Amino acid sequence: MPIERVFQGTIDHLQILDKDGNVDTNLEPKLPNELLDKMYRLMVLGRLWDKKCIALQRTGRMYTYPPLEGQEAVTVGATLALGNEDWFIPSYRESFGYYIRGLPLDIINLGWMGVEEGLKLDKKAKSFPYAIPIGTQHTHATGVAYALKLKGERSAVLVCGGDGSTSEGDFHDALNFAGVFQVPCVFLIVNNQWAISVPRKSQTKSETIAQKALGYGFKAIQVDGNDILAVYNTVKEALENARSGSGPFLIEAVTYRIGAHTTADDPKKYRSEEEVNFWRDRDPIKRLKVYLAKKGVWNEDYEAKVNAEAVKIIDDAVQKAETYKQEPKNMFNFLYAKMTKDLENQMKECFEA
Ligand SMILES: Cc1ncc(C[n+]2csc(CCOP(=O)(O)OP(=O)(O)O)c2C)c(N)n1
Ligand SMILES: [Mg+2]
């Protein structure tokens, strides 16, 4: 009996801006300067806000916080590519994306300060609270996307999960269902090389994470996650295809977490300084800066203005969050849509004793 090949798959890797900011002119998207300027401002704001959050945590003004440094192109590029009609379902690492979805920064601060209202998201932002349990957001996303499809809405879901989340059963359940029911969901897997102290190579034997989608019957691509042009364009196109009925898509964004996993982690215990420096050299902000300088958008004055503007936004947001009068009863109010009898009794015990 002749052997017949019944399946063959390939995964492409996309990079538009190289590590030194040189653009591949064959791939360069024609984005207006206003959008490129917005990307740069948001990445700078994200980085400075991240530094501030770490400083707040170190001085007892914020709780455990998961740093963003190094992954700004993924969070900013992906959320900027969303339409108002789409849904954003992030993990804890993409909380800065809420700002791009229209939530004020002080509300995001509140979430990391342990105030319940920080995750009571304005419905207009069409965003889910960030998932702390690894991988659970993937099944939620498939479910939301299925609902959009059943309702006949022209919108899509963007869900973000780490490389570690792809080892969870939830990830595979979500992809299988998404493929079978052709739901409008874009899975953005943020491969930052580590799941706390577990390296990517111990996570899966696959050469790429992207290829996992092929097993579930849909397409995928790997992009340079430190190249905002590649991230933005790929997510935008995938969302548009999903809205038009092409079904799910997976994007593996290859990036690196420069900081600690969270403020409760010490990465020096499991990774080398050389590795971190290798990735520092691939910084996402630096390469957009070079590109913008060549376009005549970036110069020293511009940099000073962008930084001053970011510092002001951050200071105002910290001030607002720290003077927020929280309602302690909300730790009971926000647990279920309707409070259970047990919780009601516990609340009474706490506040009426
Ligand atoms: C179900 C579950 N198991 C374990 C944990 C503990 N945990 C928190 S973060 C993390 C690693 C996640 O790594 P990855 O998905 O790559 O995301 P990253 O933190 O790198 O952004 C683990 C195991 C958890 N939060 N939830
Ligand atoms: Mg990871």
Side-chain angles (χ1 to χ4, degrees):
M1 247 227 305
I3 294 174
E4 190 189 341
R5 179 167 295 157
V6 290
F7 175 77
Q8 188 174 16
T10 52
I11 292 296
D12 294 328
H13 178 93
L14 176 69
Q15 181 192 64
I16 302 174
L17 272 184
D18 75 9
K19 79 175 184 58
D20 299 315
N22 302 309
V23 70
D24 183 328
T25 47
N26 292 321
L27 298 171
E28 183 180 12
K30 299 284 165 268
L31 302 179
N33 279 356
E34 297 76 54
L35 177 58
L36 296 169
D37 163 60
K38 196 171 178 185
M39 285 175 171
Y40 190 76
R41 284 172 195 272
L42 286 167
M43 284 209 280
V44 169
L45 177 65
R47 180 156 300 179
L48 294 179
W49 172 72
D50 184 62
K51 279 195 197 324
K52 185 71 174 183
C53 289
I54 296 166
L56 290 173
Q57 192 279 337
R58 294 291 185 241
T59 49
R61 291 156 68 189
M62 190 174 265
Y63 294 118
T64 307
Y65 166 80
L68 169 71
E69 187 180 359
Q71 299 184 202
E72 293 88 351
V74 179
T75 298
V76 174
T79 44
L80 274 179
L82 281 160
N84 289 337
E85 69 278 32
D86 300 322
W87 283 86
F88 175 49
I89 306 190
S91 90
Y92 47 83
R93 191 86 57 204
E94 293 85 30
S95 71
F96 181 66
Y98 291 148
Y99 180 74
I100 297 158
R101 294 294 281 162
L103 288 176
L105 208 52
D106 53 286
I107 298 291
I108 310 172
N109 286 344
L110 282 183
W112 295 114
M113 287 172 171
V115 179
E116 301 288 330
E117 289 90 318
L119 281 176
K120 188 169 185 262
L121 308 177
D122 185 336
K123 285 208 168 77
K124 286 201 286 282
K126 289 205 164 185
S127 301
F128 271 38
Y130 39 77
I132 303 271
I134 303 304
T136 50
Q137 71 274 32
H138 296 304
T139 46
H140 300 161
T142 295
V144 173
Y146 189 39
L148 296 178
K149 182 172 175 156
L150 292 178
K151 286 164 84 179
E153 284 190 22
R154 204 183 180 286
S155 55
V157 176
L158 174 72
V159 57
C160 305
D163 41 302
S165 79
T166 67
S167 296
E168 291 284 352
D170 281 353
F171 171 76
H172 300 274
D173 292 345
L175 262 66
N176 191 47
F177 194 103
V180 170
F181 291 94
Q182 285 293 288
V183 304
C185 187
V186 176
F187 296 90
L188 177 61
I189 300 303
V190 186
N191 173 8
N192 64 5
Q193 317 304 323
W194 291 92
I196 315 185
S197 55
V198 178
R200 148 71 181 84
K201 67 174 176 345
S202 307
Q203 209 66 248
T204 175
K205 194 73 183 141
S206 314
E207 295 89 332
T208 71
I209 290 175
Q211 72 201 64
K212 292 178 189 292
L214 306 183
Y216 295 106
F218 58 95
K219 295 204 173 98
I221 191 170
Q222 189 184 69
V223 302
D224 182 334
N226 288 4
D227 168 4
I228 194 162
L229 301 186
V231 173
Y232 175 83
N233 255 31
T234 308
V235 174
K236 197 156 178 76
E237 198 179 312
L239 286 168
E240 182 47 30
N241 289 340
R243 283 185 218 114
S244 323
S246 300
F249 192 77
L250 190 149
I251 301 165
E252 174 187 356
V254 180
T255 182
Y256 194 75
R257 153 169 70 71
I258 294 288
H261 168 70
T262 66
T263 46
D265 169 53
D266 176 8
K268 288 199 181 74
K269 291 208 157 76
Y270 54 81
R271 65 182 198 187
S272 68
E273 212 30 53
E274 293 78 62
E275 182 181 303
V276 179
N277 288 338
F278 173 87
W279 285 96
R280 275 195 197 284
D281 195 35
R282 281 150 183 78
D283 186 69
I285 299 185
K286 184 188 77 182
R287 64 177 90 174
L288 184 62
K289 180 193 287 188
V290 172
Y291 180 63
L292 287 182
K294 281 184 198 149
K295 280 186 163 291
V297 174
W298 187 94
N299 56 44
E300 294 293 344
D301 286 348
Y302 171 86
E303 180 72 21
K305 242 174 68 195
V306 167
N307 276 266
E309 183 188 88
V311 168
K312 173 144 181 32
I313 296 171
I314 294 163
D315 287 349
D316 288 351
V318 172
Q319 210 263 340
K320 230 168 155 184
E322 290 195 319
T323 50
Y324 181 80
K325 293 272 169 293
Q326 57 174 304
E327 170 48 68
K329 280 188 180 158
N330 279 343
M331 66 181 164
F332 293 97
N333 290 333
F334 288 174
L335 205 55
Y336 294 109
K338 190 175 174 322
M339 203 182 296
T340 62
K341 198 75 207 150
D342 272 356
L343 267 187
E344 213 174 289
N345 290 337
Q346 285 176 28
M347 185 164 85
K348 278 197 185 126
E349 211 178 301
C350 268
F351 295 101
E352 289 168 21

